[in-house]
Amino acid sequence: MPTVTRPLRLAVVGAGPASWIGGMHRRAAHLDGCWHVVAGVFSSRAERAASAAVAVGVDAARGYSDVATMLAAEAGRTDGIEAVAIMSPNDTHYACAAAALEAGLDVIGDKPVSTTADEARDLAARTSALGRIFCVTHGYSAYPMTRHARQLVADGVIGPVRFVQVEYIQSGLAKPIERGTMTESQRWKFDASRSGLALVFSAIGCHAQHLACNVSGLAIEAVSADVGALMPGRTVVDTVLANLRLTGGVRGQYTVTQAAAGGENDIRLRILGERGLIEWSHRHSAYLQLNLEGESARTIGRGDVGLPADIAKLSRTPRGHPEGLLEAFANLYREAAEAIHARNAGAPLAQVSFPTIDDGVHSMDFIEACIASHTASGLWTKV
Amino acid sequence: MPTVTRPLRLAVVGAGPASWIGGMHRRAAHLDGCWHVVAGVFSSRAERAASAAVAVGVDAARGYSDVATMLAAEAGRTDGIEAVAIMSPNDTHYACAAAALEAGLDVIGDKPVSTTADEARDLAARTSALGRIFCVTHGYSAYPMTRHARQLVADGVIGPVRFVQVEYIQSGLAKPIERGTMTESQRWKFDASRSGLALVFSAIGCHAQHLACNVSGLAIEAVSADVGALMPGRTVVDTVLANLRLTGGVRGQYTVTQAAAGGENDIRLRILGERGLIEWSHRHSAYLQLNLEGESARTIGRGDVGLPADIAKLSRTPRGHPEGLLEAFANLYREAAEAIHARNAGAPLAQVSFPTIDDGVHSMDFIEACIASHTASGLWTKV
Amino acid sequence: MPTVTRPLRLAVVGAGPASWIGGMHRRAAHLDGCWHVVAGVFSSRAERAASAAVAVGVDAARGYSDVATMLAAEAGRTDGIEAVAIMSPNDTHYACAAAALEAGLDVIGDKPVSTTADEARDLAARTSALGRIFCVTHGYSAYPMTRHARQLVADGVIGPVRFVQVEYIQSGLAKPIERGTMTESQRWKFDASRSGLALVFSAIGCHAQHLACNVSGLAIEAVSADVGALMPGRTVVDTVLANLRLTGGVRGQYTVTQAAAGGENDIRLRILGERGLIEWSHRHSAYLQLNLEGESARTIGRGDVGLPADIAKLSRTPRGHPEGLLEAFANLYREAAEAIHARNAGAPLAQVSFPTIDDGVHSMDFIEACIASHTASGLWTKV
Amino acid sequence: MPTVTRPLRLAVVGAGPASWIGGMHRRAAHLDGCWHVVAGVFSSRAERAASAAVAVGVDAARGYSDVATMLAAEAGRTDGIEAVAIMSPNDTHYACAAAALEAGLDVIGDKPVSTTADEARDLAARTSALGRIFCVTHGYSAYPMTRHARQLVADGVIGPVRFVQVEYIQSGLAKPIERGTMTESQRWKFDASRSGLALVFSAIGCHAQHLACNVSGLAIEAVSADVGALMPGRTVVDTVLANLRLTGGVRGQYTVTQAAAGGENDIRLRILGERGLIEWSHRHSAYLQLNLEGESARTIGRGDVGLPADIAKLSRTPRGHPEGLLEAFANLYREAAEAIHARNAGAPLAQVSFPTIDDGVHSMDFIEACIASHTASGLWTKV
């Protein structure tokens, strides 16, 4: 593991003091001392941007009101930013990331990386051409136990994979929000031109798709999908249901809805192999179910003795003491910092553990295929 | 509730001493004293039929070696059988049921009721024309808590239904049984001409479909399905995956496989309504999850105070003392007996709680539509 | 395993049609065809006794109104009863069992076996002297998974036992029943002269104590106890709490209350050994937790492949299909029948799996010691 | 809620880079921006102290090698420390806290606060006399759901409390560590003169006792206890078992062991009231079970709609996204900072939510009473 010798200087875009995801990114960046948030775009109004900066511990002068100004101003400082973390509205992701890459910065991007697959592909091309690091913050894939699941599958513990099932249900859109007075954040979400191809996919669905692909080690090759809204009269997409074909013809099933009244934020993943199955549920994020045919079911815990070193290092507290999503996010921030230091030190680009812009491209390809299949009455459609 | 005044005389077909499902039927029939197993077809070899009869507590003379002989012999007795319970191989169900109905008997039929939808429709027509009772033993729909779930949905507790999700995974076909030496029971199952359109559907899939329809109170109107085998090289169907449209356009998702290495016999049902959701899992068959949006999650138990009387009467043991599938089966046997006594007493045919031949027809229509959709590359297909 | 060649003829005492525990005994006796309930004492009023007999499928003539009459009458029949199952009020157990033993009959006795340790010892002496079988129906100790837990402990899987913890909480006495109008059944329970030394112990506490001793394979040697009532003003005992010393100085802890408002019927057992622990909870009676230090936690299920044959035979339904307390009771009835047939066939008395009158003696010794310790301000007291 | 206007300057004692509890304190202090760790005693060797300081982001010059030096040096700075957080070995807690209080500083003290009740009382007297804030870091009592449990009990939701049950089992001492080569940290723990009256109590037992008292709102008035070691030959205490009497005669039971091979870090709390019970398990720290007699069981979640504002503010992430022990610790740090700012602003000392030195006194009184009761053969002993 490359050492993190000093905190990297980070700017945040869209992480005002009232944003929970903003707080998540800022805390995660600081948790292990790998990053220092020193600048950011917090509001389009200069005054507000400055006061928001101070509220989150950034100098007022480095609280910018737009990305271009920030990139220019920071480029002129000897202690200027080295990377940008993006968590502004979905329709701004692409432009912001492209500008940051072009400015020679690395990117921590919240999902979705863009609003179309073409844009995502463009970001991937720039990232590669410019030798940048692009980390997409799929936090659920960075829990010690989802990482361990991936390892167990890769090691063949459950045999060849035969079926991949993922489900993410949430109550975020369970009420007819669009019929009432909306907050600014709700307004852009319910404007399909800003929130992207499928609201539910931008919001939570890409997390589920990434988790399934990441843990199974497989890509989605074709879909037969049902895309729409459970809520009557809704014009944005709150639900995506799909049958899948993954690499090598492996079957899969995909269930995502934000219109689950009474749901919490429930993610379930199951990978069926020829010899057994692995199950993980977000409700019990620190545990992993491993059921091998003919053996008693096993529950592997985050703090179990004998976990591989690269899984054990993802934990900061001992066996039986709960960790949260914050620590999973911090794992991504730490890994991104390590990759950047290594790259800066001249090391050749190694395989990374965190999701990259290539994962972002696959997500956008997937949702475009789902929509195409739905339009074609459920017909199997290539991703 | 009509009273069960005396045990009805029952013949069992295919319930030899070594058959677990046979034992289940015999024990369930006797549990409440509503039935008395007095005859049966236990083997095609006369000697074995007689000894098997004795082993299960039936007179050797009434251990028959074929259905026709039994029906004829019993018709000649003053204490002859009044109903036939069928749990022989799938491809014999239709003929046996049809013969029993024609002999003026009522039928308790294990699933699937037939091998085609046409046959099922024929049985439904005979049942109706002959004024018979035909109870299909979908035991999972007869637990107190699945019944209560149905009631809660019908009462609108979760609001209008928006999404129905059912899953049944099992390890029964997780190994390549067909590549080894098979038992007689396995041989007919792996012979698609005998086990029916889709092995997994005959074995477990129709239970899941019935449970989803029964609890939601909805019928399946269209499917977009993926039908096949997870096990490479397998020629029978071990997996059915489908997106659904139910009555009124309600969305659904269906997941059934017997090739789940490491699976147990796991059934999960979730009904999403506009105000909340209901979940039931076979692992916790005595409990029901009711999560209403904006309220704390509730776990309703089989023994809770204040359950409606028609749910409470489905239990035989107090709060916190486990019951099993046997008691659920016995609920069906008791309800069927009550319906028969009522009919015999001249009462008009009332709404019954147990699954009937009409449910059997819907199951066969559903699987035929799944296969048609699969053949049409996932295209939405009317049921 | 000795074969059960024919059903044994059983009389039930206190198993009227309205008694749930009566129904449990009758169904359990019949479940495997090992017993046939042919007589019983159902009421002290002759007319009621006869009608109750009929209601439970017994000839009116063999529905007796007192035990002495029954024993005399049945002794005169060639098809007379061979054993008596006792589930009448607690204060009648001793006399009824003693009379049955003296009449040369075997006994299935519900708990507690008597109201004092001396009485229990007297029954043990008679049982032994007369060569009878005396099975005490501690059903919780007869689940496949509590039996398997016992086996695992005995096999040393968790190493030498260091700590035994058992808890049984229930809401049966959570309300101030004694301040209202009581049913007949409640009246004898709240009369300490009839319900025994400690109501909660007679009702549920002896089950918990037996389970702990049975699974750990240890006897209780000393106690430091707190005995009393959680309900203010209550004069009967609804709660027993104790620190324990078991065979060889092993520590233990015991928690029993029926005044647990909001409780269900929750039994938890945990055995700590030097290498790991075993946990069992009644809520998940078909599963057993086995956590060995340094290994992933294992959940052993009732239907797991590879269970020892003598555990597997305690199940009647396959993996993943729930069984209940009825099947556990039926295990006791089957084992008692096997022991009786073996004894009748002249076999020397072997080690039996079911609880015997010796277990009943230990239970009564234990509760007497608890009361003595409580009276002595918690002082450690020999059992 | 008093506002935290600027980060307070904190010194940490015993929080070197390799200490997990040190990392917990440092991260928790920083999480909400309420504190800034600017100094510390990291090693008794000056060189190591300086390098350790740098490793945790503190100036080398403020990495001290003993407490006295630090207090003197910091007193001379205009930006000197305002509080000390203590997480050094147990036998140093008292002296360090006393010195910090006398230096006019506030104290965040890890448990146990001292090695005797007299010392704890002395700290309480100083804290009060000097007008200081003393926060004891019982993190388990600072989860949103343990706090909410306390509120529900205080609000009478379960009626008058009748029984309090707490259990904390862990595998930290499951192996015969003292028979092998020990680390420095293990050496002081196995030296009873340094680790305190009862090792298991210092390590985890006081957390369980505090949780039980805190949530029930009751103090422990008397105990009947069994204190010793499950591990044969062990001379330090690894287990404390006790029957309790709490304020008003309420019964309780207490179970603590670190010799639980196969245990994780399992804390269970149950409060029985006259109308229902509350249960909380550390395994599911974000949920609370509320079972009211006669109603369906309710699971209250950290993110439930409608939680009181002072509970809701203890969360930083939305419904269904896990938080960990870190956030609970950060709640204590934030509350301590708020109390300090309020006190500094001249506000009269209000009721605080975090554990104080008075709680520390009660813990030490409790364990001294347990040991006295054990010595007196289990006799009930006043606390």
Side-chain angles (χ1 to χ4, degrees):
Chain A
M1 169 175 49
T3 315
V4 173
T5 47
R6 60 167 184 84
L8 294 165
R9 295 181 299 275
L10 182 69
V12 289
V13 177
S19 155
W20 88 263
I21 193 67
M24 176 62 79
H25 277 271
R26 283 185 277 108
R27 286 180 171 116
H30 287 140
L31 201 72
D32 296 314
C34 300
W35 294 88
H36 196 191
V37 176
V38 296
V41 177
F42 298 105
S43 169
S44 55
R45 289 197 276 167
E47 214 169 305
R48 243 195 226 176
S51 67
V54 173
V56 301
V58 163
D59 281 354
R62 297 173 86 174
Y64 302 96
S65 54
D66 69 278
V67 172
T69 307
M70 176 175 79
L71 295 177
E74 291 288 324
R77 300 176 65 116
T78 52
D79 64 348
I81 56 173
E82 299 168 277
V84 175
I86 305 168
M87 62 224 72
S88 45
N90 297 347
D91 60 331
T92 66
H93 289 183
Y94 166 72
C96 178
L101 293 169
E102 293 300 327
L105 302 175
D106 295 306
V107 173
I108 313 280
D110 214 308
K111 47 80 216 167
V113 295
S114 60
T115 51
T116 67
D118 280 348
E119 284 176 356
R121 231 174 286 280
D122 174 81
L123 290 177
R126 289 176 201 253
T127 299
S128 170
L130 297 162
R132 298 294 94 200
I133 301 291
F134 198 123
C135 168
V136 184
T137 48
H138 288 303
Y140 308 114
S141 307
Y143 285 115
M145 286 300 100
T146 48
R147 285 285 180 84
H148 190 47
R150 176 172 73 170
Q151 194 59 51
L152 292 172
V153 172
D155 290 350
V157 170
I158 58 168
V161 173
R162 296 294 177 219
F163 186 45
V164 176
Q165 217 181 342
V166 72
E167 164 184 303
Y168 193 156
I169 74 162
Q170 208 205 52
S171 61
L173 301 178
K175 297 204 164 157
I177 298 167
E178 63 269 55
R179 292 183 218 157
T181 312
M182 292 192 278
T183 64
E184 170 53 29
S185 157
Q186 288 171 334
R187 253 196 306 275
W188 73 253
K189 280 179 189 151
F190 279 97
D191 178 348
S193 71
R194 298 190 62 194
S195 61
L197 294 175
L199 176 51
V200 71
F201 188 78
S202 299
I204 63 171
C206 57
H207 281 314
Q209 167 269 321
H210 179 264
L211 184 67
C213 290
N214 188 253
V215 175
S216 70
L218 305 174
I220 301 167
E221 299 192 332
V223 299
S224 167
D226 182 11
V227 177
L230 295 189
M231 172 71 68
R234 177 163 281 167
T235 54
V236 292
V237 171
D238 65 22
T239 302
V240 179
L241 312 171
N243 288 324
L244 313 177
R245 277 296 181 289
L246 298 104
T247 316
V250 169
R251 278 185 164 87
Q253 212 170 17
Y254 178 84
T255 311
V256 166
T257 182
Q258 280 190 292
E264 205 175 85
N265 190 57
D266 294 307
I267 314 173
R268 284 180 189 160
L269 176 70
R270 187 193 280 145
I271 313 277
L272 278 187
E274 207 166 280
R275 298 184 43 220
L277 62 84
I278 281 181
E279 272 189 349
W280 179 82
S281 159
H282 197 214
R283 293 258 178 159
H284 310 282
S285 58
Y287 298 91
L288 192 61
Q289 202 62 30
L290 173 63
N291 298 3
L292 296 181
E293 186 63 18
E295 301 186 15
S296 294
R298 276 182 262 179
T299 305
I300 300 175
R302 188 181 60 73
D304 275 9
V305 174
L307 288 177
D310 61 339
I311 300 301
K313 76 171 184 190
L314 300 173
S315 282
R316 290 158 190 81
T317 30
R319 179 173 171 74
H321 298 79
E323 293 191 345
L325 184 58
L326 173 59
E327 284 89 346
F329 254 74
N331 288 336
L332 296 178
Y333 268 94
R334 187 167 64 190
E335 292 170 344
E338 289 168 356
I340 291 169
H341 283 293
R343 191 262 333 269
N344 291 350
L349 204 65
Q351 175 78 21
V352 295
S353 294
F354 55 84
T356 69
I357 185 62
D358 296 328
D359 296 279
V361 171
H362 190 50
S363 291
M364 297 312 296
D365 281 342
F366 168 71
I367 188 61
E368 292 193 354
C370 284
I371 292 168
S373 169
H374 178 74
T375 308
S377 287
L379 219 61
W380 281 98
T381 301
K382 283 241 150 60
V383 171
Chain B
M1 167 173 51
T3 315
V4 173
T5 47
R6 60 166 184 84
L8 293 164
R9 294 180 300 275
L10 182 70
V12 289
V13 178
S19 156
W20 87 264
I21 194 66
M24 175 63 77
H25 278 269
R26 284 184 278 109
R27 287 181 171 116
H30 286 140
L31 201 71
D32 297 312
C34 300
W35 295 88
H36 196 190
V37 176
V38 296
V41 177
F42 298 104
S43 170
S44 55
R45 288 198 275 165
E47 213 169 307
R48 246 197 224 174
S51 66
V54 171
V56 302
V58 163
D59 281 353
R62 295 173 86 174
Y64 301 96
S65 53
D66 69 279
V67 172
T69 307
M70 176 176 77
L71 294 177
E74 291 289 323
R77 298 178 67 116
T78 52
D79 65 348
I81 56 174
E82 299 168 277
V84 175
I86 305 168
M87 62 224 72
S88 46
N90 298 346
D91 61 330
T92 66
H93 290 184
Y94 166 72
C96 177
L101 291 169
E102 294 299 326
L105 301 176
D106 295 306
V107 172
I108 312 281
D110 214 308
K111 47 78 213 170
V113 295
S114 61
T115 51
T116 67
D118 280 347
E119 284 177 356
R121 232 175 285 281
D122 174 81
L123 290 177
R126 290 176 201 254
T127 299
S128 171
L130 297 162
R132 297 296 95 198
I133 301 292
F134 197 123
C135 168
V136 184
T137 48
H138 290 302
Y140 307 115
S141 307
Y143 285 114
M145 286 300 100
T146 49
R147 285 286 178 85
H148 189 47
R150 176 172 75 170
Q151 195 59 49
L152 292 171
V153 172
D155 289 350
V157 170
I158 58 167
V161 173
R162 297 294 177 220
F163 185 45
V164 175
Q165 216 180 344
V166 73
E167 165 184 304
Y168 192 157
I169 74 161
Q170 207 204 52
S171 61
L173 301 177
K175 297 205 164 156
I177 298 166
E178 61 269 57
R179 294 183 218 154
T181 312
M182 293 191 278
T183 64
E184 170 53 28
S185 155
Q186 289 171 333
R187 253 196 306 275
W188 71 254
K189 281 179 189 151
F190 279 97
D191 177 348
S193 71
R194 299 191 62 194
S195 60
L197 293 175
L199 176 51
V200 70
F201 188 77
S202 300
I204 63 172
C206 57
H207 281 314
Q209 168 269 320
H210 180 266
L211 184 67
C213 291
N214 188 253
V215 174
S216 70
L218 305 174
I220 300 168
E221 299 191 333
V223 298
S224 166
D226 182 12
V227 176
L230 295 189
M231 173 71 68
R234 178 162 281 168
T235 54
V236 292
V237 171
D238 65 23
T239 301
V240 179
L241 312 170
N243 288 324
L244 313 178
R245 279 293 181 290
L246 298 103
T247 316
V250 169
R251 278 185 164 87
Q253 212 169 18
Y254 178 84
T255 311
V256 167
T257 181
Q258 280 190 293
E264 204 173 85
N265 190 57
D266 294 308
I267 314 173
R268 284 180 187 161
L269 176 70
R270 187 194 279 145
I271 314 277
L272 278 187
E274 208 166 279
R275 296 185 45 220
L277 63 83
I278 280 180
E279 271 188 350
W280 178 82
S281 159
H282 198 214
R283 292 257 179 162
H284 310 283
S285 58
Y287 299 92
L288 191 62
Q289 203 62 31
L290 173 63
N291 298 4
L292 295 181
E293 186 64 19
E295 301 186 14
S296 293
R298 277 182 261 179
T299 305
I300 300 174
R302 188 181 58 74
D304 275 10
V305 174
L307 288 177
D310 61 338
I311 301 301
K313 77 171 183 189
L314 300 173
S315 282
R316 289 157 190 83
T317 30
R319 179 175 172 74
H321 297 80
E323 294 192 344
L325 184 58
L326 173 59
E327 283 89 346
F329 254 74
N331 288 336
L332 295 178
Y333 268 94
R334 187 169 61 192
E335 291 171 344
E338 289 169 355
I340 291 168
H341 283 292
R343 191 263 332 268
N344 291 350
L349 204 65
Q351 176 78 21
V352 294
S353 295
F354 55 83
T356 70
I357 185 63
D358 296 328
D359 296 278
V361 171
H362 190 49
S363 291
M364 298 312 295
D365 281 342
F366 168 72
I367 188 61
E368 292 194 353
C370 284
I371 292 168
S373 169
H374 178 74
T375 308
S377 287
L379 219 60
W380 282 98
T381 302
K382 284 240 151 62
V383 171
Chain C
M1 170 175 49
T3 315
V4 173
T5 46
R6 62 168 182 85
L8 293 164
R9 294 180 300 273
L10 182 69
V12 289
V13 177
S19 156
W20 87 262
I21 193 67
M24 176 63 78
H25 278 270
R26 283 184 278 107
R27 286 180 171 117
H30 286 140
L31 201 70
D32 296 314
C34 300
W35 295 88
H36 196 193
V37 176
V38 296
V41 177
F42 297 104
S43 169
S44 54
R45 289 198 274 166
E47 214 168 304
R48 243 196 227 175
S51 67
V54 172
V56 301
V58 163
D59 281 355
R62 296 174 88 174
Y64 303 95
S65 54
D66 69 278
V67 172
T69 307
M70 176 175 78
L71 294 177
E74 291 288 324
R77 299 177 65 116
T78 52
D79 64 348
I81 56 173
E82 300 169 278
V84 174
I86 306 168
M87 62 224 71
S88 45
N90 297 346
D91 61 331
T92 66
H93 290 184
Y94 166 73
C96 178
L101 292 169
E102 292 301 325
L105 301 177
D106 296 306
V107 173
I108 312 281
D110 214 306
K111 47 78 216 167
V113 295
S114 60
T115 51
T116 67
D118 279 348
E119 285 176 358
R121 231 174 286 281
D122 174 81
L123 291 177
R126 290 177 201 253
T127 300
S128 171
L130 297 162
R132 297 295 95 199
I133 301 292
F134 197 124
C135 168
V136 184
T137 48
H138 289 303
Y140 307 115
S141 308
Y143 285 115
M145 286 300 100
T146 49
R147 286 286 179 84
H148 189 48
R150 176 172 75 169
Q151 195 59 50
L152 292 172
V153 172
D155 289 350
V157 170
I158 58 167
V161 174
R162 297 297 177 217
F163 186 45
V164 176
Q165 216 181 342
V166 72
E167 165 184 303
Y168 193 156
I169 75 162
Q170 207 205 52
S171 62
L173 301 178
K175 298 205 164 155
I177 299 166
E178 61 269 56
R179 294 184 216 155
T181 311
M182 292 191 279
T183 64
E184 170 54 28
S185 155
Q186 290 170 333
R187 254 196 305 276
W188 72 255
K189 281 179 189 152
F190 279 96
D191 178 348
S193 71
R194 299 189 62 193
S195 61
L197 294 175
L199 175 51
V200 70
F201 188 78
S202 299
I204 64 172
C206 57
H207 281 314
Q209 168 269 320
H210 180 265
L211 183 67
C213 291
N214 188 252
V215 174
S216 70
L218 304 174
I220 301 168
E221 298 192 333
V223 299
S224 167
D226 182 11
V227 176
L230 295 189
M231 173 70 68
R234 178 162 282 168
T235 55
V236 293
V237 171
D238 66 22
T239 302
V240 179
L241 312 170
N243 289 323
L244 313 177
R245 279 293 180 292
L246 297 105
T247 316
V250 169
R251 279 185 163 87
Q253 212 169 16
Y254 178 84
T255 311
V256 167
T257 182
Q258 280 190 291
E264 204 174 85
N265 190 57
D266 293 308
I267 313 173
R268 284 181 189 160
L269 176 71
R270 187 194 279 145
I271 313 277
L272 279 187
E274 208 165 279
R275 295 184 46 220
L277 62 83
I278 280 181
E279 272 189 348
W280 179 82
S281 159
H282 198 214
R283 292 259 179 159
H284 310 282
S285 58
Y287 299 91
L288 191 63
Q289 203 62 30
L290 173 63
N291 298 3
L292 295 181
E293 186 63 21
E295 301 187 13
S296 293
R298 276 182 260 179
T299 305
I300 300 175
R302 189 181 59 74
D304 275 10
V305 174
L307 288 177
D310 60 339
I311 301 301
K313 77 172 183 189
L314 301 172
S315 283
R316 290 159 189 82
T317 29
R319 180 176 172 73
H321 297 78
E323 294 192 345
L325 184 58
L326 173 61
E327 283 89 346
F329 254 74
N331 287 337
L332 295 178
Y333 268 94
R334 186 168 61 191
E335 291 170 344
E338 288 169 354
I340 291 168
H341 283 294
R343 190 262 334 269
N344 290 352
L349 205 64
Q351 177 77 23
V352 294
S353 295
F354 55 83
T356 70
I357 185 62
D358 296 329
D359 295 279
V361 171
H362 191 48
S363 291
M364 297 312 294
D365 281 343
F366 168 71
I367 188 61
E368 292 194 353
C370 284
I371 291 168
S373 169
H374 178 73
T375 308
S377 286
L379 220 59
W380 281 99
T381 302
K382 286 239 147 62
V383 171
Chain D
M1 167 176 51
T3 316
V4 173
T5 48
R6 60 167 184 83
L8 293 165
R9 295 180 298 276
L10 182 69
V12 289
V13 178
S19 156
W20 87 263
I21 193 67
M24 176 62 78
H25 278 269
R26 284 185 277 107
R27 286 181 171 117
H30 286 140
L31 201 72
D32 296 314
C34 301
W35 294 88
H36 195 190
V37 176
V38 297
V41 177
F42 297 104
S43 169
S44 55
R45 288 198 276 167
E47 214 169 306
R48 247 197 223 173
S51 67
V54 172
V56 302
V58 163
D59 280 354
R62 296 174 87 174
Y64 302 97
S65 55
D66 68 279
V67 172
T69 307
M70 176 175 78
L71 294 177
E74 292 288 325
R77 299 177 64 117
T78 51
D79 65 345
I81 56 173
E82 300 168 278
V84 175
I86 306 168
M87 61 226 71
S88 45
N90 297 347
D91 60 331
T92 66
H93 289 184
Y94 167 72
C96 179
L101 292 168
E102 293 300 325
L105 302 176
D106 296 307
V107 173
I108 311 281
D110 214 305
K111 47 79 214 168
V113 295
S114 61
T115 52
T116 67
D118 280 347
E119 284 177 356
R121 231 173 286 281
D122 175 81
L123 291 177
R126 291 177 199 252
T127 299
S128 171
L130 296 162
R132 297 295 94 198
I133 300 292
F134 197 124
C135 168
V136 185
T137 47
H138 289 303
Y140 307 115
S141 308
Y143 285 114
M145 287 299 100
T146 49
R147 286 285 179 84
H148 190 47
R150 176 172 74 170
Q151 195 58 51
L152 292 172
V153 172
D155 289 350
V157 170
I158 58 168
V161 173
R162 298 294 178 220
F163 185 45
V164 176
Q165 216 182 343
V166 71
E167 165 184 303
Y168 193 156
I169 74 161
Q170 207 203 54
S171 61
L173 301 177
K175 296 204 165 157
I177 299 166
E178 61 269 56
R179 292 184 217 155
T181 311
M182 292 191 279
T183 65
E184 170 53 29
S185 156
Q186 288 171 333
R187 253 195 305 276
W188 72 254
K189 280 180 190 152
F190 279 97
D191 178 348
S193 71
R194 299 190 64 194
S195 61
L197 294 174
L199 176 51
V200 70
F201 188 78
S202 300
I204 63 171
C206 57
H207 281 314
Q209 167 269 321
H210 179 266
L211 184 67
C213 291
N214 187 253
V215 174
S216 69
L218 305 174
I220 300 167
E221 299 191 333
V223 299
S224 167
D226 183 11
V227 176
L230 295 188
M231 172 71 69
R234 177 162 282 169
T235 56
V236 293
V237 171
D238 66 22
T239 302
V240 180
L241 312 170
N243 288 324
L244 314 177
R245 279 292 180 291
L246 298 104
T247 316
V250 168
R251 276 186 166 87
Q253 212 170 17
Y254 178 84
T255 310
V256 167
T257 182
Q258 280 190 293
E264 204 174 85
N265 189 58
D266 293 307
I267 313 173
R268 284 180 189 162
L269 175 71
R270 187 193 281 146
I271 314 277
L272 278 188
E274 209 165 278
R275 297 184 44 219
L277 62 83
I278 281 181
E279 272 189 349
W280 179 81
S281 160
H282 197 215
R283 293 258 177 159
H284 310 282
S285 58
Y287 298 92
L288 191 63
Q289 203 61 30
L290 173 63
N291 298 3
L292 295 181
E293 186 62 20
E295 301 186 14
S296 293
R298 276 182 262 178
T299 304
I300 300 175
R302 190 180 59 72
D304 275 9
V305 174
L307 287 178
D310 60 339
I311 300 301
K313 77 172 183 188
L314 300 172
S315 282
R316 290 158 190 80
T317 28
R319 179 175 172 73
H321 298 79
E323 293 192 345
L325 184 57
L326 173 59
E327 283 89 347
F329 254 74
N331 288 336
L332 295 178
Y333 268 94
R334 186 168 62 191
E335 290 170 344
E338 288 168 356
I340 291 169
H341 282 293
R343 191 263 331 271
N344 291 350
L349 204 65
Q351 176 77 22
V352 295
S353 294
F354 55 84
T356 71
I357 185 62
D358 297 328
D359 296 279
V361 171
H362 190 50
S363 291
M364 297 311 295
D365 280 342
F366 168 71
I367 187 61
E368 291 194 354
C370 284
I371 292 168
S373 169
H374 178 73
T375 308
S377 286
L379 220 59
W380 281 99
T381 301
K382 285 240 148 62
V383 172

